[in-house]
């Protein structure tokens, strides 16, 4: 390992280039990072003098020597800093070129000495070659071409960084004076310094990468894993693994909210029965894969890529082509409980598994939809019986190993979930709790809406419900008026507290604003015009009191028992 201090004019001069390998993440510095660098530059500029300002370190490893004598170095750490500095120099070059005072010579000097290898071919022309996803925009900046229109599905920070520095260079210092570009050039190239650490052939570049990860902007678990996997391979094999697996995964995972890619790797590992905390995903995967040969590692990565496809279907049901499976997945998404995901990844392998992901179990689309319905019933019955959710992680982590191998996966799933220790409420327990559970108060909005929508659908509607046209209505209102107190009688407060948020008092309506807390006689007229079957029984009542609420709850409970099946009954 060799470490030397270099001013920027030394670092970028000479026939050499720094290559950002494909496993590195996309350029990710933001305005706060650019602003911090610019503030440092302005401080040194305004102070004058010859003091040196330290920018940090660049860690690289010799890669190759091209026929033209260009020395190439693979960047292990410092790619964000290198990319930013060259974008700054490009902005300075173009600002000089725009001046009408003959300083185009200075612009050409910056271009030929610090941004390009003048006589290099292809990518060897560039002092810095960013990772593949950044190359188009970056090369356009260096080649003085107009930036391409950005893909709305991808984050581009190359163009914004270049434009940020261009604006700053055309601004003023803290006193309001126009910036002296010649002085700025001397400051940037001559007074800013980095430590360039060049690894030797015996240095373990990945160990160095791990130790330096705390520097700069922290890497996500996904970044660390991608780098670890790809750095295990060399040359063409690395390119092949990246193109076949990691590039498609990176692209597809952008459809998810931030940090969900980390969750995908977490669930893909938990699918194997290993419990892993979110902060330990990288280390657990590394521990699992360190002992694998390269062919075995490639097969493991292929499995992860397959799990990624399935994870996306679980998270975004619209991606699932089968209507039955898509319907059930959408219901689980609405329920908002993600703990079954490790088991669902296994079920998807039984459904779609081919090649390296093949399984001795097999389910068709109808079977997978049924498995999903069992899991939904298990979760909803537990939810409405007030059973704590904290054991769910462990339950679904172990479930695949608890299936009876003599049964098909669909039947085996229901049997395994029916183990007494897993607390899947039977019909009696569910009936005792469903009618009295404070559904509106103790569930999330999407959960209670799913339950009421499902009860309505159970009447056999041929037309799909449109949730956007209705909201949940309390028949007995949240605030009791004098008319409502008269209707409920002397026990009005007790009845109100006991039944307000329960299923017997809740319905769906598009007339909530009109009904508000009006007397039942007026609400009844609105509900009588409704096309929803949930409102029919209410509209038939002369009074709305505890007896009416409990009678309706009884009817809905009978439906709920049929909709959300219970455990296998043991003899």
């Amino acid at each position: 390992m060799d470490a030397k201090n270099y001013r920027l004019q030394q670092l970028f001069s000479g026939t050499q280039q720094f290559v950002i390998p494909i496993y590195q993440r996309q350029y990710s510095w933001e305005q706060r990072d650019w602003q911090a660098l610019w503030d440092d530059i302005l401080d040194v500029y305004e102070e004058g003098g010859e003091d040196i300002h330290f920018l940090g370190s660049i860690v690289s490893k010799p890669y190759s020597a091209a026929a033209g004598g260009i020395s190439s170095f693979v960047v292990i750490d410092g790619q964000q800093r290198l990319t930013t500095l060259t974008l700054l120099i490009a902005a300075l070059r173009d600002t000089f070129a725009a001046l009408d005072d003959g300083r185009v010579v200075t612009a050409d000097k910056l271009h030929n000495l610090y941004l390009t290898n003048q006589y290099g071919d292809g990518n060897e022309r560039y002092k810095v070659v960013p990772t593949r996803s950044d190359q188009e925009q970056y090369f356009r900046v260096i080649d003085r071409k107009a930036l391409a229109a950005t893909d709305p599905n991808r984050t581009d920070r190359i163009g914004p960084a270049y434009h940020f520095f261009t604006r700053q260079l055309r601004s003023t210092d803290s006193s309001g004076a126009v910036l002296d570009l010649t002085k700025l050039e001397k400051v940037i190239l001559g007074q800013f310094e980095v430590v360039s650490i060049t690894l030797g052939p015996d240095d373990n570049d990945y160990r160095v990468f791990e130790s330096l990860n705390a520097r700069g902007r922290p890497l996500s678990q996904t970044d660390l894993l991608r780098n670890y996997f790809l750095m295990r391979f060399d040359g063409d094999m690395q390119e092949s693994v990246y193109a076949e697996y990691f590039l498609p995964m990176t692209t597809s995972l952008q459809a998810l909210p931030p940090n969900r890619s980390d969750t995908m790797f977490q669930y893909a590992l938990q699918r194997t029965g290993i419990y892993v905390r979110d902060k330990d995903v990288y280390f657990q995967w590394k521990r699992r894969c360190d002992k694998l040969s390269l062919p075995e590692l490639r097969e493991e990565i292929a499995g992860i890529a397959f799990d990624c496809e399935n994870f996306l279907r679980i998270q975004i049901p619209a991606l699932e082509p089968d209507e039955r499976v898509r319907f059930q997945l959408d219901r689980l998404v609405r329920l908002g409980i993600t703990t079954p995901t490790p088991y669902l990844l296994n079920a998807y392998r039984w459904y779609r598994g081919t090649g390296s992901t093949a399984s001795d179990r097999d389910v068709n689309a109808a079977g997978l939809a049924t498995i999903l319905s069992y899991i939904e019933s298990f979760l909803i019955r537990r939810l409405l019986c007030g059973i704590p959710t904290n054991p769910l992680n462990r339950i679904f982590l172990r479930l695949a190993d608890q299936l009876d191998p003599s049964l098909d996966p669909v039947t085996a799933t229901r049997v395994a979930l029916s183990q007494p220790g897993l607390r899947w409420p039977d019909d009696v327990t569910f009936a005792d709790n469903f009618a009295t559970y404070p559904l509106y108060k103790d569930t999330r909005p999407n959960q209670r809406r799913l339950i009421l929508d499902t009860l309505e659908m159970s009447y056999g509607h041929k037309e799909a419900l449109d949730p956007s046209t209705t909201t949940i209505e309390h028949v007995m209102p949240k605030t009791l008026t004098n008319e409502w107190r008269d209707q409920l009688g002397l026990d009005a407060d007790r009845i109100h507290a006991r039944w307000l948020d329960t299923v017997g008092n809740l319905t769906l309506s598009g007339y909530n604003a009109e009904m508000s807390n009006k007397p039942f006689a007026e609400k009844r007229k609105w509900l009588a015009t409704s096309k929803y079957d949930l409102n029919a029984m209410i509209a038939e009542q002369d009074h709305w009191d505890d007896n009416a609420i409990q009678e309706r709850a009884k009817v809905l409970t009978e439906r709920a028992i049929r909709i959300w099946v219970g455990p296998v009954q043991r003899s």
Side-chain angles (χ1 to χ4, degrees):
M1 182 183 296
D2 180 42
K4 292 182 180 179
N5 287 28
Y6 288 102
R7 311 284 173 89
L8 294 189
Q9 61 190 14
Q10 297 170 314
L11 180 71
F12 291 120
S13 63
T15 52
Q16 62 182 0
Q17 69 173 182
F18 296 96
V19 178
I20 314 300
I22 56 175
Y23 54 77
Q24 292 277 24
R25 59 182 169 175
Q26 190 177 4
Y27 179 66
S28 62
W29 272 22
E30 300 174 346
Q31 178 153 335
R32 61 183 178 184
D33 306 299
W34 310 326
Q35 186 67 56
L37 174 60
W38 181 253
D39 289 344
D40 288 343
I41 292 171
L42 211 55
D43 286 344
V44 176
Y45 170 88
E46 294 183 351
E47 287 173 4
E50 301 295 328
D51 289 345
I52 301 301
H53 184 81
F54 179 62
L55 284 174
S57 62
I58 307 294
V59 182
S60 63
K61 189 171 186 176
Y63 182 60
S64 66
I70 297 171
S71 299
S72 184
F73 297 85
V74 175
V75 178
I76 307 301
D77 187 70
Q79 68 126 327
Q80 305 288 332
R81 191 173 294 111
L82 274 172
T83 305
T84 304
L85 290 171
T86 50
L87 291 172
L88 168 62
I89 295 172
L92 182 62
R93 173 201 65 190
D94 295 343
T95 306
F96 270 121
L99 296 175
D100 188 21
D101 61 1
R103 280 191 279 184
V104 68
V105 174
T106 303
D108 288 343
K109 179 192 71 175
L110 292 172
H111 180 80
N112 293 327
L113 285 181
Y114 307 120
L115 295 174
T116 62
N117 296 307
Q118 193 171 4
Y119 302 107
D121 294 325
N123 284 359
E124 292 170 3
R125 292 193 309 109
Y126 303 101
K127 295 287 187 179
V128 172
V129 178
T131 194
R132 186 180 299 177
S133 57
D134 289 322
Q135 286 181 7
E136 180 184 7
Q137 291 289 64
Y138 180 83
F139 290 160
R140 283 178 173 272
V141 169
I142 302 304
D143 291 337
R144 295 185 267 204
K145 295 179 180 179
L147 291 171
T150 56
D151 185 339
N153 295 319
R154 291 182 61 250
T155 301
D156 168 46
R157 294 198 174 99
I158 297 292
Y162 168 75
H163 289 308
F164 171 85
F165 290 119
T166 300
R167 289 193 302 272
Q168 302 308 315
L169 289 164
R170 294 172 178 170
S171 63
T172 60
D173 63 18
S174 60
S175 68
V178 176
L179 293 173
D180 182 339
L181 293 182
T182 300
K183 181 180 176 181
L184 262 177
E185 177 195 358
K186 293 179 180 178
V187 167
I188 293 169
L189 294 171
Q191 292 182 246
F192 280 79
E193 184 177 81
V194 298
V195 172
S196 179
I197 303 171
T198 306
L199 303 184
D202 296 328
D203 292 320
N204 186 318
D205 47 342
Y206 194 73
R207 293 287 173 84
V208 173
F209 173 82
E210 283 186 308
S211 67
L212 291 171
N213 180 50
R215 302 178 69 90
R217 182 180 295 278
L219 297 178
S220 68
Q221 299 285 299
T222 301
D223 292 327
L224 287 167
L225 279 169
R226 181 191 61 241
N227 295 1
Y228 164 73
F229 285 131
L230 289 172
M231 290 175 79
R232 289 281 303 274
F233 299 95
D234 292 322
D236 292 342
M237 181 65 74
Q238 185 181 87
E239 287 280 350
S240 173
V241 171
Y242 174 78
E244 186 172 356
Y245 302 118
F246 282 97
L247 182 58
M249 276 197 286
T250 301
T251 302
S252 60
L253 286 170
Q254 289 178 350
L256 297 176
N259 301 323
R260 293 299 287 168
S261 58
D262 286 358
T263 306
M264 187 281 291
F265 280 99
Q266 181 182 15
Y267 285 139
L269 188 55
Q270 289 183 333
R271 181 197 65 76
T272 67
I274 299 173
Y275 176 72
V276 55
R277 295 180 177 84
D278 54 0
K279 294 182 179 180
D280 296 334
V281 174
Y282 161 69
F283 292 104
Q284 291 282 12
W285 267 115
K286 186 173 183 295
R287 178 182 299 173
R288 176 181 174 87
C289 295
D290 271 345
K291 61 182 178 292
L292 298 181
S293 66
L294 292 184
E296 290 171 333
L297 181 61
R298 183 166 187 144
E299 185 173 347
E300 188 77 46
I301 294 169
I304 295 171
F306 187 73
D307 286 333
C308 180
E309 293 178 19
N310 298 331
F311 179 76
L312 284 163
R313 295 188 184 196
I314 294 166
Q315 296 291 307
I316 309 174
L319 298 176
E320 168 55 49
D322 186 88
E323 182 178 2
R324 294 158 295 181
V325 177
R326 184 170 63 248
F327 174 79
Q328 291 297 149
L329 285 173
D330 184 66
R331 294 179 61 81
L332 282 179
V333 169
R334 291 179 66 187
L335 189 57
I337 300 176
T338 60
T339 46
T341 304
Y343 186 72
L344 296 185
L345 289 176
N346 279 309
Y348 249 104
R349 286 195 173 209
W350 308 331
Y351 170 47
R352 299 184 63 223
T354 57
S356 63
T357 62
S359 168
D360 55 355
R361 297 189 174 104
D362 182 49
V363 294
N364 57 21
L368 179 58
T370 303
I371 288 175
L372 293 168
S373 72
Y374 287 154
I375 290 173
E376 178 190 324
S377 295
F378 176 80
L379 294 173
I380 285 199
R381 284 198 174 209
R382 285 174 57 96
L383 173 68
L384 299 185
C385 289
I387 299 173
T389 59
N390 52 297
L392 290 176
N393 274 313
R394 300 285 184 177
I395 288 173
F396 287 106
L397 191 70
R398 299 167 179 165
L399 191 62
D401 292 331
Q402 296 174 344
L403 299 189
D404 186 337
S406 67
L407 301 174
D408 67 272
V410 179
T411 305
T413 297
R414 187 179 184 188
V415 170
L417 286 173
S418 299
Q419 298 173 81
L422 303 193
R423 301 183 67 184
W424 187 354
D426 59 20
D427 290 353
V428 173
T429 304
F430 187 46
D432 288 344
N433 286 272
F434 184 76
T436 59
Y437 185 79
L439 179 64
Y440 193 88
K441 184 178 71 172
D442 287 1
T443 58
R444 296 194 290 267
N446 56 322
Q447 293 174 336
R448 52 183 175 259
R449 182 64 202 234
L450 172 65
I451 290 165
L452 290 173
D453 283 352
T454 304
L455 288 169
E456 177 65 30
M457 288 169 58
S458 72
Y459 286 91
H461 285 284
K462 293 184 179 180
E463 296 179 348
L465 299 178
D466 183 0
S468 65
T469 64
T470 60
T471 56
I472 296 177
E473 165 72 12
H474 288 78
V475 183
M476 176 177 58
K478 295 179 182 180
T479 302
L480 291 179
T481 62
N482 290 333
E483 291 91 338
W484 271 101
R485 287 186 176 277
D486 290 343
Q487 179 157 162
L488 296 174
L490 295 177
D491 283 343
D493 289 329
R494 179 191 63 79
I495 295 169
H496 188 260
R498 184 73 181 90
W499 300 108
L500 174 68
D501 292 324
T502 62
V503 69
N505 189 53
L506 301 176
T507 194
L508 299 172
S509 175
Y511 300 106
N512 294 59
E514 291 84 351
M515 289 189 288
S516 185
N517 60 352
K518 290 180 179 177
F520 178 68
E522 294 187 39
K523 284 194 174 190
R524 180 185 172 194
K525 294 177 183 178
W526 287 105
L527 295 173
T529 66
S530 173
K531 296 181 180 179
Y532 281 14
D533 287 295
L534 281 178
N535 296 322
M537 186 174 179
I538 303 171
E540 293 171 357
Q541 306 301 311
D542 293 327
H543 296 85
W544 196 251
D545 52 21
D546 57 344
N547 289 329
I549 294 172
Q550 290 183 64
E551 185 60 30
R552 180 169 179 265
K554 181 180 178 181
V555 172
L556 295 180
T557 297
E558 292 172 354
R559 286 186 170 272
I561 290 172
R562 294 194 298 271
I563 295 167
W564 293 290
V565 299
V568 174
Q569 297 300 311
R570 298 180 181 272
S571 56

